[in-house]
Structure formats: structure tokens, C-alpha cells
Amino acid sequence: MEGGVGLEGEEDKGSKGLEGTGLNLPLNRHGNLIRASGDENLKEISHNIRTSKTPTLINYGASWCRVCSQILPEFFQLSNKFPKLSFVYADIDECPETTQHIRYTPTFHFYRDGERVDEMFGGGEERLHDRLWLHSS
């Protein structure tokens, strides 16, 4: 997709995170999507979520996870459809200490008023959209 995150041409199959997916992801138009770049960054993001009133969705995934790669473009699209929500992508291999509690990929955590209010395991674009709609109201 033109103007996307621009992950084309990645030759290193051992890459982690978004780069390791090899996907050309849609551009986030609202600045409401961030990627945790490591454990310290994810700790900071988590602190910001706990002290914020903004509804937030965290997507815990992995570059080697087929289902994660299938749902990731929709996750990016949803960040454009729900501009008042915050979206976070955290690769479990880039944040190994802070994601030890994650047992399945993808795992989605929904936060409202700083508290985790819901959790979803696995893919399903319609299911994810419905959950987001529910928590954005």
C-alpha cells in the first residue's frame, strides 16, 4: 500500500517486531498508534495507560505468528477508524520481560480509565472490531 509503514524488501527473516512480519502496513493517519520498542518503552507506555482516561488497545503479537500477521493490517486500519482510542503494538520477542504473562499470540488487552476491562485471544477481524466498538462507547 502506497504511503504505508514501508516494510517492503526486508530480507532478514530473523527480524523481530513489525519489520519481521514483512508486511506493508497501512499508514496511521491520527498518530494514535505506537509500537513498544523494548521492555523499558513498554513499561513507560503501560504507566501512561494507567494514568490516562483514553481507551487503549494493546496488541501483543510476534513476527513469527501467522495469525498475528493476518490481523495486523486490520489492527492498523482500526487505528484509523477509531481516532479517539490509543493503539499499541508490542512484539513479545522485543519485550520479553514485560510480556512474560502473555501465553497466546495475538492477545489483545482493552483498557478504559486506566484499568484493563477486557481481553481477547486469537484473530478475528469482526470480533476485534466489535470489541473495539463496545469499549469505545
Side-chain angles (χ1 to χ4, degrees), residues 36-46 91-100:
S37 59
D39 284 312
E40 288 305 313
N41 184 231
L42 185 54
K43 287 176 188 175
E44 181 180 328
I45 291 167
S46 296
D91 187 295
I92 62 169
D93 292 325
E94 290 185 331
C95 308
E97 291 175 27
T98 49
T99 61
Q100 287 180 15

Side-chain angles (χ1 to χ4, degrees), residues 36 42 45-46 49 57-63 65 68 71-72 75 88-93 95 98-111 116 119-122:
L42 185 54
I45 291 167
S46 296
I49 290 169
L57 172 62
I58 301 180
N59 174 358
Y60 294 99
S63 59
C65 169
C68 299
I71 196 85
L72 201 53
F75 181 74
V88 177
Y89 176 75
D91 187 295
I92 62 169
D93 292 325
C95 308
T98 49
T99 61
Q100 287 180 15
H101 63 286
I102 301 300
R103 297 289 173 242
Y104 306 99
T105 56
T107 292
F108 298 91
H109 286 174
F110 300 83
Y111 290 84
R116 190 168 84 190
E119 183 174 56
M120 182 179 123
F121 303 108

